[in-house]
Amino acid sequence: MRLVFAGTPETALPSLRTLIDSPRHDVVAVVTRPDAQSGRGRKVHPSPVAALAEEAGIEVLRPQKAGDPEFLDRLRALEPDCCPVVAYGALLPQSALDVPRHGWINLHFSILPAWRGAAPVQHAILHGDEIGGATTFQIVKELDAGPVYGVVTEEIHTSDTSGSLLERLSISGAGLLAATLDGVEDGTLEARPQPADGITIAPKISVADARVDWTKPALHVDRLIRACTPGPGAWTEFRGQRVKVGPVRMVPGERLAPGEIATTKTTVLVGTATDAVELGEVQPQGKRLMGAGEWARGVRPEGKEVFK
């Protein structure tokens, strides 16, 4: 099939590579978000998908909106049979959905209808799900509600961050997406409606949402930090400045007041509503990522100083 691939971040790269290498399909263009500023110098860089496409000699389309007339005209001229989507990051109007004869097929990183929305992996970890997965489905106007083609599952480990889980799902999901397109092409795969029960929503987790509440139980603190790693990054305040915190280790039986910091020669413990947790890595505002012990030796917490 002639494909126009839509995606933006690194998460989409395994799928794009798989489809570029597929002997059954021809990726004639990619659609991605406009180039954006990133890094300390705030230089403008292409998205990871755009960079890979340009390296492979594939046309790159960067519409401000997927309903822009100029973009729609080019999309129609490309005559795609199908448009696979992985983390594109923008809404698709009906005028765009109507262009390919097999529609737009999305790879979504949850087992639908669970965790429809922008942050399915983060919410799966935050809510303590034991099994995650990825789903291919036909895009319709309603958010992540289209009929399903296929699913892969993945165990969620107690040490998983959203980054580590998403990395595994992006690889297994790439195989699922390729198999889905193969089945659509030869007519052996039929999409089935999603069940009406079990719908949950996974809105984007904001920076404000990522603030650690040390008055919550240790299990909640652990899940929140892992869900927000690497983005948007869990954080707390110390002496009026933000400090990002990486994944922690729960320490059963060790009790401190919520937010209270206790240091030893080898560990930095912080109190929660239940057991204390041991900090791993931290990143003070404007500084590099470092081990919690190195941070503590630099700031020398006094008495019963607390994270807020």
Side-chain angles (χ1 to χ4, degrees):
M1 288 194 294
R2 287 175 60 84
L3 304 178
V4 172
F5 180 92
T8 298
E10 288 190 13
T11 305
L13 296 185
S15 289
L16 179 55
R17 289 192 185 99
T18 297
L19 295 179
I20 290 173
D21 293 341
S22 171
R24 297 186 56 170
H25 308 293
D26 182 17
V27 180
V28 296
V30 303
V31 184
T32 191
R33 300 295 294 146
D35 296 352
Q37 292 180 329
S38 63
R40 287 192 173 185
R42 306 304 294 166
K43 293 182 179 179
V44 175
H45 295 281
S47 74
V49 162
L52 176 57
E54 289 170 345
E55 182 182 316
I58 297 171
E59 180 179 353
V60 178
L61 307 176
R62 299 176 172 89
Q64 290 292 334
K65 294 182 179 180
D68 291 348
E70 184 178 348
F71 165 69
L72 291 174
D73 287 345
R74 182 57 188 151
L75 185 63
R76 294 186 188 103
L78 288 166
E79 298 183 336
D81 296 306
C82 186
C83 294
V85 184
V86 185
Y88 171 46
L91 295 176
L92 297 165
Q94 193 64 47
S95 55
L97 296 179
D98 290 339
V99 173
R101 63 190 181 97
H102 289 298
W104 297 62
I105 295 177
N106 192 27
L107 174 65
H108 182 77
F109 296 109
S110 80
I111 305 173
L112 291 172
W115 304 129
R116 295 177 179 178
V121 171
Q122 289 91 333
H123 281 273
I125 290 176
L126 180 61
H127 289 81
D129 291 0
E130 295 180 353
I131 300 293
T135 303
T136 48
F137 71 96
Q138 189 85 37
I139 293 182
V140 298
K141 202 167 186 180
E142 186 181 350
L143 178 67
D144 298 336
V148 168
Y149 287 105
V151 172
V152 292
T153 60
E154 184 78 36
E155 181 183 356
I156 301 177
H157 307 304
T158 55
S159 60
D160 266 327
T161 64
S162 62
S164 64
L165 179 56
L166 192 54
E167 182 178 5
R168 296 202 305 277
L169 288 173
S170 68
I171 295 170
S172 59
L176 172 64
L177 181 60
T180 297
L181 295 173
D182 291 348
V184 168
E185 181 190 30
D186 59 28
T188 59
L189 191 59
E190 180 182 347
R192 301 294 176 89
Q194 293 185 32
D197 297 330
I199 296 172
T200 50
I201 305 300
K204 182 179 178 179
I205 295 179
S206 68
V207 172
D209 296 330
R211 184 172 189 168
V212 180
D213 183 352
W214 302 102
T215 67
K216 297 287 188 181
L219 184 61
H220 174 85
V221 170
D222 167 62
R223 288 175 177 173
L224 174 71
I225 294 173
R226 289 189 292 111
C228 294
T229 302
W235 61 279
T236 187
E237 280 193 359
F238 180 74
R239 296 176 184 168
Q241 290 194 323
R242 286 191 182 188
V243 178
K244 282 190 175 182
V245 291
V248 297
R249 183 179 69 87
M250 291 185 284
V251 186
E254 189 73 37
R255 301 300 292 264
L256 295 167
E260 182 182 346
I261 303 166
T263 63
T264 70
K265 289 184 178 180
T266 58
T267 63
V268 178
L269 303 182
V270 184
T272 74
T274 54
D275 295 318
V277 296
E278 180 184 341
L279 292 185
E281 292 184 315
V282 301
Q283 185 174 13
Q285 189 170 329
K287 298 185 178 180
R288 61 177 175 82
L289 188 69
M290 63 185 70
E294 180 185 355
W295 169 81
R297 287 190 293 274
V299 298
R300 298 178 181 272
E302 298 175 356
K304 292 189 176 182
E305 278 196 279
V306 298
F307 282 133
K308 297 181 178 179

